[in-house]
């Protein structure tokens, strides 16, 4: 008989996320072992506890989820966990990185866009592109061959992020753009068909008055659910809502697909003991929705 499915939740926050725990159970985990305030130096022993308890053929029923609200901290835990697997001896477990929902949210946003547009060569602008979600949106748009402008209030910050993405995604069509002033934003919007706003909660990145300067716009996706929203004129619950010829998605409108992707990613962990799910792998799962 198959062993019970155990998900080991490693969270950098003081208390491990209840949200991630509930989703794990709904996605098919039988048990969730939750660890909060996890530091990189504690990860080795936690991974050893996961890989040394069951025989290699049963390790597909143990998996690791890396969460927490701090994406950079989650990335460090993820890298540390990978370091301590022993694949040479079959002693490894599958692992999923989704701190702050960054990977599943970015995948859901790009999936929403691909329902309406062929993204190959599409002129796109990612506002708030320097944040963890925006960076992942840019990476995933690049996988689809989009022509991407990545925006920041400071062009130098956008340039640094584009450089970092290019180091992972060779040949990415990425142009850093400043969006801090109305003039810069107008230039960044020029000729864009798709805009995805991944700015900080409660920050307006695309005010209504800038819309007139972007007649090419066909699809606007805003991931900020906290008023005021990131794209003026888009409502948080919009799901392919046509507003003056522009299809709009708000954060809740994207959230349904995000939840499906999140659950599918957890389920995928238990299909084998060799899954390593970061943005690109999660994006592949998103194509089912
Ligand atoms: N629906 C979901 O399940 C879900 C899950 C995760 C995240 N989200 C939402 O997705 C969005 C992006 O998340 P994140 O964690 O990547 O965001 P973040 O790191 O807080 O912010 C993203 C970027 O926004 C810009 N920014 C910060 N403050 C700003 C301000 N006052 N005005 C204009 N721009 C500002 C910054 O870029 P520059 O400084 O370079 O301009 C920053 O890098 C957030 O709104 C978040 O709430 C939704």
């Amino acid at each position: 008989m198959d062993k019970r499915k155990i998900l080991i939740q490693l969270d950098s926050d003081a208390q491990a996320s209840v949200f991630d725990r509930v989703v794990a159970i709904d996605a098919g985990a039988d048990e969730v072992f939750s660890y909060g305030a996890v530091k990189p130096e504690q990860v080795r022993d936690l991974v050893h506890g996961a890989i040394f308890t069951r025989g290699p053929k049963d390790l597909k029923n143990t998996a690791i989820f890396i969460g927490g609200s701090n994406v950079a901290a989650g990335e460090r835990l993820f890298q540390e966990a990978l370091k301590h697997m022993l694949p040479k001896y079959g002693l490894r477990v599958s692992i999923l990185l989704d701190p702050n929902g960054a990977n599943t949210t970015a995948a859901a946003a790009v999936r929403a866009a691909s329902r309406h547009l062929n993204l190959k060569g599409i002129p796109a602008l990612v506002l708030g592109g320097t944040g963890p979600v925006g960076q992942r949106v840019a990476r995933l748009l690049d996988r689809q061959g989009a022509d991407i402008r990545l925006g920041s209030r400071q062009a130098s910050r956008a340039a640094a992020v584009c450089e970092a993405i290019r180091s992972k995604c060779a040949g990415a069509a990425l142009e850093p753009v400043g969006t801090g002033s109305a003039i810069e934003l107008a230039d960044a919007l020029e000729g864009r068909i798709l805009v995805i706003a991944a700015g900080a909660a409660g920050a307006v990145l695309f005010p209504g008055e800038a819309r007139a300067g972007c007649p090419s716009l066909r699809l606007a996706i805003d991931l900020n659910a906290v008023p005021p929203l990131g794209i003026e004129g888009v409502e948080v619950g919009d799901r392919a809502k046509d507003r003056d010829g522009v299809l709009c998605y708000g954060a809740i409108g994207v959230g349904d697909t995000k939840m499906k992707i999140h659950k599918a990613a957890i389920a995928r962990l238990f299909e084998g003991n060799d899954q390593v799910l970061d943005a690109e792998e999660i994006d592949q799962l998103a194509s089912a929705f």
Side-chain angles (χ1 to χ4, degrees):
M1 207 178 76
D2 262 1
K3 294 254 197 289
R4 289 167 71 74
K5 295 188 180 107
I6 298 172
L7 189 70
I8 298 166
Q9 178 190 17
L10 306 186
D11 196 311
S12 59
D13 291 347
Q15 299 205 72
S17 157
V18 172
F19 177 98
D20 288 336
R21 213 169 157 177
V22 172
V23 178
I25 295 288
D26 287 351
D30 297 312
E31 298 277 354
V32 183
F33 297 173
S34 298
Y35 296 85
V38 178
K39 302 272 182 298
E41 59 272 23
Q42 298 166 322
V43 168
R44 186 193 69 170
D45 289 353
L46 291 162
V47 169
H48 284 177
I51 65 176
F52 289 138
T53 36
R54 292 170 158 180
K57 79 172 178 25
D58 287 323
L59 282 179
K60 71 175 171 42
N61 291 315
T62 307
I64 295 176
F65 175 90
I66 308 280
S69 57
N70 182 332
V71 178
E75 283 172 333
R76 285 193 289 276
L77 299 182
F78 182 66
Q79 290 309 329
E80 193 64 25
L82 290 173
K83 243 168 61 184
H84 299 295
M85 307 271 183
L86 298 169
K88 201 168 146 193
Y89 307 107
L91 297 175
R92 64 186 293 175
V93 295
S94 290
I95 180 164
L96 165 61
L97 176 70
D98 198 27
N100 205 25
N103 277 332
T104 48
T105 302
V110 173
R111 177 71 194 115
S114 71
R115 280 192 205 111
H116 306 284
L117 298 169
N118 176 357
L119 296 179
K120 191 158 178 55
I122 201 92
L125 170 64
V126 183
L127 291 167
T130 54
V133 174
Q135 291 187 37
R136 286 167 164 80
V137 166
R139 270 161 63 183
L140 300 186
L141 284 174
D142 171 61
R143 275 167 60 81
Q144 307 286 334
D147 164 19
I148 307 156
R149 285 184 188 153
L150 185 143
S152 162
R153 288 169 297 173
Q154 282 185 34
S156 59
R157 208 151 42 212
V161 165
C162 287
E163 212 37 60
I165 295 176
R166 272 194 217 99
S167 71
K168 286 186 187 170
C169 318
L174 269 174
E175 180 192 354
V177 288
T179 55
S181 70
I183 293 173
E184 283 180 319
L185 179 62
D187 286 347
L189 284 166
E190 214 243 313
R192 298 294 101 176
I193 289 177
L194 167 65
V195 172
I196 300 182
V204 180
L205 277 80
F206 187 174
E209 60 265 24
R211 184 72 68 85
C214 188
S216 52
L217 186 64
R218 291 289 164 269
L219 185 54
I221 300 176
D222 184 14
L223 298 174
N224 165 23
V226 179
L229 301 183
I231 304 181
E232 251 174 23
V234 175
E235 297 289 328
V236 72
D238 282 356
R239 194 170 196 277
K241 171 89 179 165
D242 190 328
R243 294 186 181 276
D244 302 324
V246 177
L247 287 178
C248 298
Y249 281 84
I252 293 175
V254 172
D256 181 42
T257 306
K258 182 236 177 295
M259 289 303 291
K260 287 182 181 153
I261 296 169
H262 189 156
K263 287 181 192 165
I266 300 274
R268 175 58 63 88
L269 293 174
F270 296 112
E271 288 177 12
N273 70 334
D274 59 351
Q275 300 289 308
V276 178
L277 305 183
D278 196 348
E280 287 74 12
E281 296 78 15
I282 292 169
D283 186 44
Q284 266 174 359
L285 295 175
S287 60
F289 303 106

